[in-house]
Amino acid sequence: MAVLPILSIGDPVLREVSRAVSAEELATPALQAFIDDLIETMHAAHGAGLAAPQVGRPVRICAVHIQQNPRYPYKPDFPLTVFVNPTLTRLSGEEESVYEGCLSVPDLRGRVQRAMHVRVDAWDRHGAPFTLEARGLIAGTFQHEFDHLDGLLFVDRVTDPRTLCTWAAFDRFYREAFVAEAMDINRKYVI
Ligand code: NI
């Protein structure tokens, strides 16, 4: 296993529409080893998620794992999950404005509008189809990660660029109020 370099905004690979993965390719030792590396890289960087194009491979695979994440302490825990060829369906019109950050956009956060009730259909890392329904902040995390597979970054979704801030500025000026908002969201959106 290896920790891979994470690409930063400006790298053209981050702007590609990633290609779907076939069941045959997914079963190869090479792709399974890549998925291990993707997970190890996400953990090493303390990411809530990581998408394959962020480590230079434009295929439709991403991982999400939230366990008392130091970058996002207000995010509810979510078990390690690998999504292959995921699709996302909105299940309601509910939306919230939330601060996001991204390992490929160093030292920047900003507010984006995310759907709060979604269904995800994907394969697991062994090609078995699964479906999950999500409400709240985790639904936003899925939208963020799946956006990477379409060449989109959270900055593309920031409707008011005046909300952009460094992590230090976020901590100093916005963290306290946003943590309270996030806790309200956690209470409001339960399955
Ligand atoms: Ni990201």
Side-chain angles (χ1 to χ4, degrees):
M1 298 221 288
V3 172
L4 306 170
I6 296 175
L7 307 183
S8 290
I9 184 169
D11 192 302
V13 174
L14 291 172
R15 294 310 195 171
E16 286 184 32
V17 175
S18 292
R19 64 175 176 80
V21 178
S22 70
E24 293 71 29
E25 185 183 7
L26 185 60
T28 61
L31 205 59
Q32 288 297 313
F34 169 73
I35 291 171
D36 287 336
D37 291 347
L38 184 73
I39 292 167
E40 191 177 355
T41 305
M42 172 179 68
H43 286 153
H46 301 293
L50 192 64
Q54 292 182 271
V55 291
R57 196 152 177 163
V59 291
R60 302 188 81 81
I61 298 175
C62 64
V64 170
H65 189 196
I66 303 172
Q67 199 166 39
Q68 298 174 340
N69 189 292
R71 279 165 62 87
Y72 309 100
Y74 45 81
K75 281 196 185 196
D77 287 355
F78 189 81
L80 173 62
T81 307
V82 173
F83 299 87
V84 179
N85 302 329
T87 60
L88 184 138
T89 309
R90 284 183 183 225
L91 295 179
S92 78
E94 295 165 300
E95 286 189 352
E96 298 285 349
S97 158
V98 293
Y99 274 96
E100 289 191 4
C102 178
L103 294 170
S104 292
V105 185
D107 202 20
L108 200 65
R109 308 201 73 181
R111 275 191 182 273
V112 298
Q113 205 61 24
R114 293 295 190 189
M116 287 286 120
H117 190 191
V118 302
R119 188 185 75 233
V120 175
D121 295 281
W123 294 349
D124 70 13
R125 64 179 295 170
H126 304 295
F130 68 95
T131 296
L132 62 83
E133 188 177 333
R135 282 169 60 79
L137 295 177
I138 190 66
T141 302
F142 296 152
Q143 288 158 78
H144 176 115
E145 297 308 327
F146 301 168
D147 269 356
H148 278 298
L149 307 181
D150 290 325
L152 294 169
L153 299 172
F154 83 88
V155 289
D156 308 331
R157 304 276 193 196
V158 170
T159 46
D160 183 354
R162 290 172 298 184
T163 65
L164 291 169
C165 59
T166 63
W167 281 71
F170 177 79
D171 285 346
R172 184 169 173 199
F173 300 112
Y174 309 112
R175 172 179 290 279
E176 196 179 339
F178 180 63
V179 167
E181 277 180 51
M183 293 307 175
D184 283 343
I185 289 171
N186 290 340
R187 277 188 288 272
K188 183 173 171 188
Y189 296 97
V190 285
I191 290 283

